[in-house]
Amino acid sequence: DASGRLYKQKVDELKEYMRWKCLNPVTQRKVLKYYELKYRGKYFEEGSLLNEMNESLRMEIAVHNCRELISKVSFLKREQHDGRDDLFAGCIATALQPCYYVPGDILFLQGEIGADMYFLLSGSLNVLISGKRVAQLKDGAFFGELALYANTPRTATVQAASSCIVYRLSRDSFNSILDMFDDVKKKVKAIYNERLEKLK
Ligand code: CMP
């Protein structure tokens, strides 16, 4: 079990590093929790494994990796079936970056300039405006689209209430997907209007 051994080695190195840096025990526990969530006991040099493959294989694997997210998030399901569903799935899957958060982690702060939007695969997140919780987001939710769509600072702070697996989509990918898929653009606009109404 090479990946299991490598994982153990990485965790040992991490513990040594945290002790050397004299990090407080709370932070040390958070970092270890983050590692468990991200690697689940196996460490792979994923970037270099994927880099050796061709585009087509990379896309096939990316779509496979995102299938659970795509099945959970209504935003990622197209209503208009014009023969471009595979293209859409490929564009989305290759653009999404998985991110991992442990309870208490801040994904971004109200007032920040936003560069990404997010999709929640698992866990729960609090949406806070001026320190007050206005919503709780659960599996399948998406957020952070307002700053991208309207080019405004973040309207709220988003903080992990539990361990979360989130996928991040950059502004450039968001814009090119909206340019390519008019039905998705309409959906974002409708959600934008709805959420904006609540913020008034
Ligand atoms: P953005 O303004 O980019 O960053 C904060 C995000 O919180 C915002 O996008 C929305 O996605 C989300 N958000 C803001 N207000 C609400 C709300 N009332 N309910 C759910 N999500 C919200």
Side-chain angles (χ1 to χ4, degrees), residues 7-71:
Y7 174 77
K8 202 180 161 304
Q9 198 180 317
K10 290 277 175 194
V11 170
D12 287 345
E13 187 187 341
L14 181 69
K15 284 180 180 166
E16 223 173 286
Y17 167 78
M18 292 194 295
R19 275 196 301 270
W20 180 63
K21 284 282 178 189
C22 304
L23 290 185
N24 73 54
V26 175
T27 308
Q28 291 197 27
R29 275 196 295 277
K30 274 182 82 178
V31 174
L32 289 171
K33 204 177 169 92
Y34 170 88
Y35 246 64
E36 275 166 29
L37 180 70
K38 182 169 178 179
Y39 294 109
R40 289 179 291 135
K42 288 185 178 291
Y43 189 96
F44 296 101
E45 304 285 357
E46 203 174 11
S48 67
L49 289 174
L50 293 173
N51 258 338
E52 290 191 32
M53 297 178 198
N54 63 34
E55 288 269 299
S56 174
L57 286 171
R58 267 202 296 273
M59 187 180 287
E60 203 169 316
I61 293 173
V63 171
H64 168 86
N65 289 343
C66 288
R67 71 199 183 291
E68 195 188 348
L69 182 78
I70 291 172
S71 75

Side-chain angles (χ1 to χ4, degrees), residues 108 112-118 144 147-148 152 154 168-174:
F108 53 73
E112 258 179 43
I113 301 297
D116 307 279
M117 85 168 278
Y118 300 82
L148 299 196
T152 52
R154 294 291 190 201
R168 192 164 65 194
L169 184 71
S170 73
R171 181 188 287 273
D172 284 351
S173 303
F174 175 82

Side-chain angles (χ1 to χ4, degrees), residues 127-139:
V127 179
L128 308 156
I129 296 183
S130 309
K132 213 173 134 252
R133 190 171 89 178
V134 295
Q136 189 163 43
L137 304 174
K138 299 271 182 202
D139 297 17

